[in-house]
Amino acid sequence: MDNLSLGWLEEANDSLQMELGSCTTLRNPASRIFLYAFLSVGILCTVVGNFLVVLAIAYFKQLQSPTNSFVMSLAVADCLVGLVVMPYSMIRTVEGCWYFGSLFCRLHSSLDVMLCTASIFHLSCIAYDRYYAVCNPLLYSLKMSNSRVALLIAVCWAVPMFISFGPIMLDLHIAGVDVPIPQDLCVFLVNRVYAVMASLVAFYLPMAIMLVAYWKIFKAAKRQAMQISAMESQMASGVGKDSSKKKKHRNTMKREGKAAKTLGIIMGVFLLFWMPFFTVNIVDPFIDYSTEVVVWDVFLWLGYINSSLNPFLYGFFNRSFRRAFLMIMVTLCIPLFISKMYKHLCKRTAVLLLPEYHLSK
């Protein structure tokens, strides 16, 4: 490497050290209050939404299926993201400082990588499950037996734990990274090898599985819709009811459009919220860690938002889940309403009887 390249590299490291050299809160009080309120709402939605999914599947037996086993495990991972990862990330993002020590910084980074990767792995397992349910329904019960589902769920937790806690707690992810980080900052820098390997395992491989599975599902659904439309057309033409044929054809097209829209939303949301982070995660070590901190924060919180949207994509869009959520809300709200009404009646009764009690005395 020539002197010019070495000089440029030293200047880049010096600028990075200046950026990481001190822990200072640059935001004014108003922006900090707004960020705390906004991010707290996101954390609350993540925890409550995923907890409702777990509660619904655990309580209602009709929701306990192989697919919903993946959805339940996904909800557990996303709920833990909201409980143990996002609150500390919120403080770090808003304050610009890390108040919890270097050991907890590594633990927090390990949990962050593990739980977000587990969430992505569960999404690919759901796509794999739906592929066999739609494209190979005769093999579905064989491929998605209880033991197979349990094994896949175990893999969804074991592999993320392997690629997070081991390398991060042993500092293998920063081997060869010559950038000193102050004690009052928690910056997740990784070397090139870990950046590429972890991103491939945590995101790009599951993304490829999801793309292939949903593309085949879309093709199978389109083919089935065309077959159904052809059968309905023949039946309608045999009876001679032209209007009935057109109506059934429209219904078939609506089913096809709804299936395509659902698959498009699932893949679109997944790519929109996770692609920016993992792209920067790979590129940043190759450009000498020159990505701005605010860019990291924005892309990281986009990924977190995906955990809050998963209950809506995989739960609230399902009619059975919506009914279960409604029953849970009614079950929780009615006792609270009765309790408030009882207290109100007791107060009103005391007010009415108190004067008579004094007069009698």
Side-chain angles (χ1 to χ4, degrees):
M1 184 179 293
D2 56 13
N3 293 331
L4 181 62
S5 299
L6 286 173
W8 180 86
L9 183 59
E10 290 177 359
E11 290 179 3
N13 283 335
D14 291 340
S15 63
L16 181 62
Q17 291 178 24
M18 289 178 61
E19 184 181 357
L20 301 178
S22 61
C23 175
T24 56
T25 301
L26 301 177
R27 296 183 176 88
N28 58 56
S31 63
R32 291 169 63 192
I33 292 173
F34 171 77
L35 283 174
Y36 272 125
F38 179 75
L39 297 179
S40 297
V41 171
I43 294 172
L44 183 64
C45 291
T46 302
V47 174
V48 173
N50 286 286
F51 179 73
L52 281 176
V53 173
V54 174
L55 190 62
I57 297 175
Y59 186 77
F60 296 99
K61 290 185 177 181
Q62 60 268 32
L63 293 178
Q64 297 171 4
S65 64
T67 303
N68 288 340
S69 297
F70 293 120
V71 174
M72 183 176 182
S73 188
L74 167 67
V76 171
D78 289 334
C79 189
L80 289 175
V81 170
L83 284 174
V84 302
V85 174
M86 293 172 68
Y88 299 100
S89 296
M90 175 181 64
I91 297 174
R92 180 183 60 190
T93 298
V94 177
E95 300 293 337
C97 303
W98 184 257
Y99 304 113
F100 310 104
S102 58
L103 177 60
F104 191 76
C105 174
R106 292 200 298 272
L107 180 60
H108 177 265
S109 298
S110 300
L111 289 170
D112 193 347
V113 174
M114 173 192 164
L115 293 174
C116 292
T117 303
S119 177
I120 296 173
F121 270 40
H122 282 92
L123 298 181
S124 62
C125 282
I126 292 173
Y128 176 77
D129 173 85
R130 291 297 83 203
Y131 163 74
Y132 273 104
V134 175
C135 301
N136 296 286
L138 297 179
L139 296 176
Y140 179 75
S141 59
L142 178 63
K143 292 292 183 180
M144 287 299 161
S145 60
N146 292 333
S147 58
R148 178 69 63 85
V149 171
L151 177 61
L152 288 174
I153 291 176
V155 170
C156 287
W157 288 97
V159 174
M161 185 179 296
F162 176 76
I163 68 173
S164 60
F165 275 88
I168 295 174
M169 297 303 292
L170 297 176
D171 288 335
L172 300 178
H173 67 298
I174 55 174
V177 178
D178 190 18
V179 178
I181 301 175
Q183 292 292 323
D184 55 0
L185 291 179
C186 185
V187 181
F188 187 60
L189 297 180
V190 296
N191 55 40
R192 296 179 179 182
V193 175
Y194 184 83
V196 173
M197 296 302 297
S199 297
L200 286 175
V201 174
F203 176 72
Y204 289 100
L205 179 60
M207 180 191 70
I209 293 174
M210 292 177 66
L211 286 173
V212 172
Y214 284 135
W215 174 247
K216 291 188 175 182
I217 290 172
F218 173 72
K219 289 173 62 179
K222 186 175 182 179
R223 183 173 60 251
Q224 292 173 6
M226 293 177 64
Q227 293 174 352
I228 293 172
S229 178
M231 293 175 59
E232 291 177 345
S233 298
Q234 290 179 0
M235 294 175 61
S237 61
V239 178
K241 295 180 179 179
D242 209 21
S243 60
S244 176
K245 180 177 72 174
K246 292 180 180 180
K247 182 178 179 181
K248 291 180 179 180
H249 181 71
R250 284 195 300 268
N251 291 337
T252 303
M253 293 300 103
K254 286 182 180 179
R255 287 197 298 268
E256 180 183 343
K258 184 178 180 180
K261 183 179 179 181
T262 302
L263 296 179
I265 290 174
I266 290 173
M267 279 307 305
V269 168
F270 173 72
L271 295 176
L272 176 65
F273 288 101
W274 274 122
M275 179 70 80
F277 174 82
F278 282 100
T279 301
V280 174
N281 190 56
I282 288 182
V283 172
D284 190 55
F286 292 91
I287 57 175
D288 297 308
Y289 310 100
S290 59
T291 306
E292 297 290 338
V293 175
V294 64
V295 175
W296 275 112
D297 285 337
V298 170
F299 289 168
L300 179 62
W301 279 96
L302 279 178
Y304 290 157
I305 290 173
N306 188 76
S307 294
S308 64
L309 292 179
N310 282 335
F312 293 92
L313 294 176
Y314 296 92
F316 293 117
F317 279 178
N318 187 291
R319 183 180 300 175
S320 299
F321 271 102
R322 289 199 301 269
R323 292 175 179 173
F325 295 150
L326 181 60
M327 293 179 66
I328 291 173
M329 296 302 294
V330 170
T331 304
L332 293 176
C333 291
I334 287 180
L336 183 62
F337 176 75
I338 293 175
S339 176
K340 288 185 175 181
M341 289 297 297
Y342 175 75
K343 291 180 180 179
H344 179 71
L345 289 175
C346 288
K347 289 182 180 179
R348 294 290 295 176
T349 304
V351 170
L352 292 175
L353 295 180
L354 194 57
E356 297 180 2
Y357 175 75
H358 283 295
L359 289 174
S360 64
K361 290 184 70 176

